[in-house]
Amino acid sequence: STDVEINRSEVGEAPGLFYGYEVLGVVQNQAQADEYNARTERKAQVGDLMFSDKQTFIGDPNPDFTCGLNNTLSYGPWSLGIQLNASYGNDVYNLLRMRLEGMNDRWVNQLADCVDFAKSEKDADGKEFVTNPGTSIPRPDNKDSNGNCKTVSDRYVEDGSFLKIQNVSLSYSLPQAVNDKLHISGLRVSANVQNIYTFTKYSGYDPENPGSAIRQGVDEGRYPSPRQYSLGLSFNF
């Protein structure tokens, strides 16, 4: 949802930083829930997420650096062009995961990671405890009573660094004899591919989410640029 406030700009800080809560883990048992609720005045249950007491800056969409490479290599009649684009050190807020890992709507398909959501059983004293303590996915909750889904937190912050092979083109200039026979000059055939591949650890569609100066780096499900193939033929009369 575009109305979720994620970015914050303050004097002395980089513009558009992500602002929210840090996730401290999943409530493992009733004793931990009681202690957490007493300290924070929340009403978390076993399997819910625990959040930091206060909001803080949780990510930076501004890259440490960006770079690009545009080079053409030629050998005889052949010519190879390569264009690369890269960004390093920027974070992305994967807002789409708030929907697809929210565990708060039975009618919305969830990502495969959600299979390992926090599951609980009761011990001999009737108190609940999590049976898969290694999970970071909270329990399903249609009411989202603890804010597991909709709380702006570092749960949805990911490394957005990437290297893109933006464009590759290959061309071949035909021999002069062919040009003479056709009564033309500069006959050249070419092939071009755009948006070939993106090297990234980001789990979403596309780590490149420029946005605006005050709302940048937020992935709201923008479909990535499609891969495009083209063939070309050029000549002069």
Side-chain angles (χ1 to χ4, degrees), residues 20-24 27 32-45 48-55 144-153:
Y21 292 92
E22 296 176 331
V23 175
L24 305 179
V27 177
Q32 190 176 47
D34 294 340
E35 185 278 328
Y36 173 69
N37 291 334
R39 175 168 52 84
T40 61
E41 297 184 352
R42 289 181 180 264
K43 297 181 180 180
Q45 300 180 34
D48 281 336
L49 295 178
M50 296 183 291
F51 299 101
S52 57
D53 295 348
K54 297 181 180 180
Q55 291 177 290
D144 196 29
S145 54
N146 186 58
N148 295 329
C149 169
K150 295 183 179 180
T151 298
V152 175
S153 71

Side-chain angles (χ1 to χ4, degrees), residues 170-172 174 187-192 229-235:
L170 179 66
S171 62
Y172 176 74
L174 276 75
L187 181 58
R188 190 180 188 89
V189 294
S190 61
N192 185 79
Y229 302 86
S230 59
L231 298 175
L233 177 68
S234 63
F235 56 90

Side-chain angles (χ1 to χ4, degrees), residues 18-219:
F18 302 147
Y19 190 77
Y21 292 92
E22 296 176 331
V23 175
L24 305 179
V26 173
V27 177
Q28 298 295 304
N29 51 57
Q30 191 59 53
Q32 190 176 47
D34 294 340
E35 185 278 328
Y36 173 69
N37 291 334
R39 175 168 52 84
T40 61
E41 297 184 352
R42 289 181 180 264
K43 297 181 180 180
Q45 300 180 34
V46 175
D48 281 336
L49 295 178
M50 296 183 291
F51 299 101
S52 57
D53 295 348
K54 297 181 180 180
Q55 291 177 290
T56 186
F57 290 115
I58 55 176
D60 186 354
N62 302 285
D64 294 338
F65 66 85
T66 60
C67 60
L69 173 67
N70 194 353
N71 197 15
T72 301
L73 306 174
S74 298
Y75 181 77
W78 293 95
S79 181
L80 176 67
I82 301 175
Q83 181 183 354
L84 305 178
N85 182 28
S87 178
Y88 178 78
N90 59 295
D91 295 320
V92 175
Y93 196 90
N94 194 338
L95 190 60
L96 195 60
R97 283 177 51 206
M98 187 177 285
R99 184 70 169 163
L100 299 180
E101 288 185 1
M103 301 295 288
N104 71 322
D105 192 335
R106 70 182 66 185
W107 307 112
V108 176
N109 288 333
Q110 302 291 279
L111 298 178
D113 292 345
C114 293
V115 171
D116 189 36
F117 67 85
K119 304 173 181 66
S120 64
E121 294 181 359
K122 292 184 178 181
D123 59 19
D125 297 325
K127 294 183 178 181
E128 280 190 288
F129 67 97
V130 172
T131 58
N132 53 333
T135 185
S136 61
I137 305 295
R139 68 183 179 91
D141 181 7
N142 288 339
K143 297 180 180 180
D144 196 29
S145 54
N146 186 58
N148 295 329
C149 169
K150 295 183 179 180
T151 298
V152 175
S153 71
D154 60 359
R155 176 186 179 189
Y156 305 116
V157 176
E158 300 184 38
D159 180 7
S161 301
F162 66 86
L163 170 63
K164 286 189 174 184
I165 305 178
Q166 199 77 42
N167 190 79
V168 172
S169 60
L170 179 66
S171 62
Y172 176 74
S173 297
L174 276 75
Q176 184 61 39
V178 176
N179 285 267
D180 293 341
K181 186 176 182 179
L182 298 175
H183 303 288
I184 57 176
S185 63
L187 181 58
R188 190 180 188 89
V189 294
S190 61
N192 185 79
V193 185
Q194 292 183 333
N195 303 310
I196 297 177
Y197 193 79
T198 301
F199 298 92
T200 184
K201 294 181 180 179
Y202 181 60
S203 67
Y205 286 140
D206 192 341
E208 196 169 14
N209 293 274
S212 64
I214 59 174
R215 188 177 175 86
Q216 57 178 322
V218 179
D219 185 359

